[in-house]
Amino acid sequence: MNDLVHQHTDLSESDLEWLHLLVSEWQLLSDLSFADLVLWVPTSDGTRYVSVAQMRPNTGPTSYQDDMVGHMVPRGRRPMLDTALDEGRIVREGDPEWREEVPVRVESIPVRREGRVLGVIARNTNLLTVRTPSRLELTYLQSASDLAQMIAAGAFPYPAEQTDMDVSPRVGDGLIRLDADGVVQYASPNALSAYHRLGLASDLVGHHLGDTTAELAPARGPVDEGLAKLASGWAPRQTEVEGAGGVIQLRAIPLKPRGTRIGSLVLLRDVTELRRRERELMTKDATIREIHHRVKNNLQTVAALLRLQARRMDDDRARSALEEAVRRVGSIAIVHETLSQNLDERVEFDDIADRVLAMVAELSPGGRVVGRRVGHFGILTAETATPLSMVLTELLQNALEHGFRPGESGAVEIGAVRSRVPGRDISPRDGRGPSQERLLITVTDDGRGLPEEFDPQRAGNLGLQIVRTLVVGELGGTFDMRRAESGGTQALLDIPAGATKQKQ
């Protein structure tokens, strides 16, 4: 719509904003009217109209099989558009039009803002299935007529009301028509069912909706006069009401077709099951976070016990082995600590990598070996983050222990790059598989380098055995080590950035 308005009309940005507000609300008018709506705006030279938006009803058959947005109509071809635009009134005169052997009643509603008519809404009703209307349909049509008059007068939509139409109640969810005093004149079957779920034992017609709603809502301190007023339809508002048996979402729309409030529309939806599922998910998420928090605490306790045991060891090799175990347990604890703060089982791994780097760098006597990270790991699943944190811990620890002599200065760098590569599965359409996101990781030091005839796939120390097992078996990736360009050592990891490898 923005492009069409800017290209063909001279409407201002504030006028365009008003049209956007109207279009965000006019599904209500379409459903109440059982009609298609097309918004026509005059071009800058006044010789044509351009259709900038279209809406089809959810409550009846459409009158347009094709999309009308972008169509141009010369002035004079549709006299009802000209009359509505020039005289600023709703035009209903004229015989039905026949479109593909379907009779269609056409009406024109001027769209007014601050005394100016910006365009015209063509309301097109398919008459093929016309029959004697029910009480519900008569209420719909009368409410649509009131809204149309408000649009023509520039009184609808309400600028101050910001409604999310994706979650706001629709006409078919439940509708209540109130008089000027807030007394129910009509309630649709869905609306009545929703109030019965709140605990209402009688009919709604003839009752004051605000008082009835306030009585059904559980008392929380003083009487909620705001709820009673909102349910009475005095102002355009939206809220939720929770009773003993359910939860309903209410939206009140005051009707002022002639400038004075004659009543209100109340749209409502039963959201009891939706809110129950949301609470279950919140409880589940809280439970999962609590589990991660407790696992982290337990791992830290284990690390503390190992640290105490290491201090009592006289044998240097035994003490070193326990200290390595402390760092391995600590790397897993970091992941669980991060997961305990999230709402899902995914973590931003950059923070974990930095903390692992800082934890292992403490091994460097006097801080002579510094660590840094280049690139971004991004978001990883918990199943990937846990083994990857252990792999980084082992590689960093290996670089510090074997890459530098005691007291020697240097640097260790972690690099991470995400990339997409074609999948291996053959697609019958184009002979190529879907692209797969992978994570390329390097751990590089500028130390003394690898010894001659070193084979990273056969090296027997425990740290590299752990790395190979986790990278290949758990992460479904590849691992290699080589001499770096700086003369030190570089470890290379290539793993999927998504889910972990399926276990057979």
Side-chain angles (χ1 to χ4, degrees):
M1 185 166 70
N2 286 359
D3 293 339
L4 290 171
V5 169
H6 289 147
Q7 181 179 357
H8 298 288
T9 78
D10 56 2
L11 295 180
S12 65
E13 290 299 322
S14 57
D15 292 335
L16 179 58
E17 185 64 29
W18 180 263
L19 294 184
H20 274 292
L21 185 61
L22 172 65
V23 168
S24 71
E25 293 278 17
W26 71 344
Q27 180 72 65
L28 173 63
L29 177 62
S30 178
D31 290 344
L32 289 173
S33 304
F34 308 98
D36 291 71
L37 305 178
V38 179
L39 177 57
W40 297 94
V41 179
T43 57
S44 301
D45 57 12
T47 62
R48 295 176 297 172
Y49 298 95
V50 57
S51 60
V52 298
Q54 179 179 0
M55 179 57 67
R56 292 184 171 89
N58 294 320
T59 53
T62 183
S63 301
Y64 286 109
Q65 298 300 325
D66 299 326
D67 191 356
M68 295 295 296
V69 175
H71 282 214
M72 307 288 289
V73 174
R75 183 179 173 87
R77 178 175 295 180
R78 298 190 178 182
M80 296 177 68
L81 291 180
D82 300 338
T83 303
L85 182 69
D86 297 339
E87 301 181 11
R89 65 179 180 88
I90 299 175
V91 182
R92 296 191 175 94
E93 300 88 355
D95 297 327
E97 298 180 1
W98 287 84
R99 301 173 187 164
E100 299 180 357
E101 300 184 354
V102 175
V104 176
R105 182 176 64 243
V106 181
E107 303 168 80
S108 296
I109 305 168
V111 177
R112 190 184 304 273
R113 174 181 178 265
E114 296 180 352
R116 296 170 48 245
V117 178
L118 307 182
V120 179
I121 294 176
R123 181 163 55 177
N124 304 268
T125 306
N126 188 326
L127 300 179
L128 192 62
T129 58
V130 169
R131 54 182 174 78
T132 302
S134 64
R135 177 73 185 282
L136 179 145
E137 291 167 333
L138 288 173
T139 303
Y140 278 19
L141 293 172
Q142 180 58 54
S143 301
S145 177
D146 294 334
L147 284 177
Q149 293 183 55
M150 293 171 63
I151 292 174
F156 186 83
Y158 293 100
E161 184 190 19
Q162 299 296 324
T163 303
D164 186 352
M165 297 307 296
D166 292 335
V167 298
S168 181
R170 302 289 182 98
V171 170
D173 296 327
L175 179 142
I176 297 175
R177 174 82 185 219
L178 307 178
D179 64 13
D181 296 323
V183 177
V184 178
Q185 294 179 313
Y186 175 79
S188 70
N190 285 347
L192 189 59
S193 297
Y195 265 84
H196 284 168
R197 191 159 190 176
L198 280 183
L200 180 68
S202 62
D203 196 359
L204 272 174
V205 176
H207 290 77
H208 190 278
L209 187 65
D211 295 341
T212 301
T213 305
E215 291 173 0
L216 293 173
R220 295 185 177 91
V223 176
D224 188 356
E225 296 181 358
L227 175 61
K229 187 173 183 179
L230 186 149
S232 300
W234 286 92
R237 294 290 186 273
Q238 184 167 306
T239 190
E240 285 190 3
V241 179
E242 183 171 0
V247 183
I248 62 173
Q249 191 177 33
L250 292 179
R251 183 190 177 194
I253 304 172
L255 297 176
K256 304 176 181 179
R258 298 173 186 83
T260 303
R261 195 176 73 87
I262 64 169
S264 304
L265 278 182
V266 177
L267 304 180
L268 65 153
R269 174 191 296 165
D270 185 349
V271 293
T272 305
E273 294 305 316
L274 177 63
R275 296 297 176 259
R276 181 183 61 82
R277 289 194 295 269
E278 288 178 350
R279 291 189 183 106
E280 289 177 352
L281 289 174
M282 290 176 62
T283 302
K284 179 181 177 181
D285 289 340
T287 301
I288 292 174
R289 291 198 299 271
E290 179 62 22
I291 289 173
H292 284 302
H293 182 71
R294 294 189 181 186
V295 169
K296 182 263 296 183
N297 289 343
N298 290 339
L299 289 174
Q300 289 180 338
T301 300
V302 171
L305 293 174
L306 291 174
R307 193 176 295 110
L308 288 174
Q309 186 65 42
R311 292 172 182 171
R312 295 176 178 270
M313 299 298 296
D314 297 327
D315 186 272
D316 291 340
R317 294 183 59 187
R319 185 185 306 108
S320 177
L322 288 175
E323 290 174 348
E324 289 181 3
V326 168
R327 288 186 288 274
R328 289 164 184 153
V329 173
S331 66
I332 302 175
I334 291 174
V335 177
H336 283 282
E337 181 180 5
T338 304
L339 289 170
S340 69
Q341 301 169 1
N342 293 343
L343 295 177
D344 55 15
E345 293 291 285
R346 295 158 62 85
V347 295
E348 174 60 63
F349 197 80
D350 288 346
D351 179 60
I352 293 177
D354 292 341
R355 295 177 64 180
V356 169
L357 188 61
M359 179 181 67
V360 177
E362 294 176 358
L363 290 173
S364 174
R368 292 180 176 274
V369 178
V370 297
R372 61 176 176 268
R373 173 176 57 84
V374 177
H376 299 283
F377 288 86
I379 303 295
L380 297 178
T381 63
E383 291 85 355
T384 300
T386 301
L388 183 56
S389 67
M390 292 189 64
V391 168
L392 291 181
T393 300
E394 296 299 332
L395 292 176
L396 291 169
Q397 185 170 294
N398 187 74
L400 292 175
E401 290 183 357
H402 303 290
F404 302 95
R405 297 180 178 86
E408 188 177 7
S409 300
V412 179
E413 177 184 282
I414 297 178
V417 177
R418 278 182 180 254
S419 63
R420 284 195 173 274
V421 297
R424 297 180 179 178
D425 296 334
I426 301 300
S427 170
R429 181 188 302 178
D430 55 11
R432 298 181 62 189
S435 62
Q436 183 184 50
E437 191 172 25
R438 299 192 70 82
L439 188 57
L440 307 178
I441 305 168
T442 57
V443 178
T444 309
D445 66 68
D446 57 1
R448 53 188 171 182
L450 294 171
E452 296 293 334
E453 299 182 356
F454 176 82
D455 185 355
Q457 307 303 329
R458 297 179 180 274
N461 75 66
L462 178 60
L464 291 182
Q465 289 181 14
I466 292 175
V467 169
R468 288 195 298 269
T469 300
L470 293 178
V471 171
V472 178
E474 291 293 322
L475 297 173
T478 60
F479 165 68
D480 196 10
M481 295 183 72
R482 66 186 181 189
R483 182 175 292 274
E485 295 180 0
S486 61
T489 303
Q490 184 176 66
L492 301 95
L493 308 175
D494 182 353
I495 64 173
T500 55
K501 180 181 178 181
Q502 293 291 333
K503 295 180 176 62
Q504 303 295 327

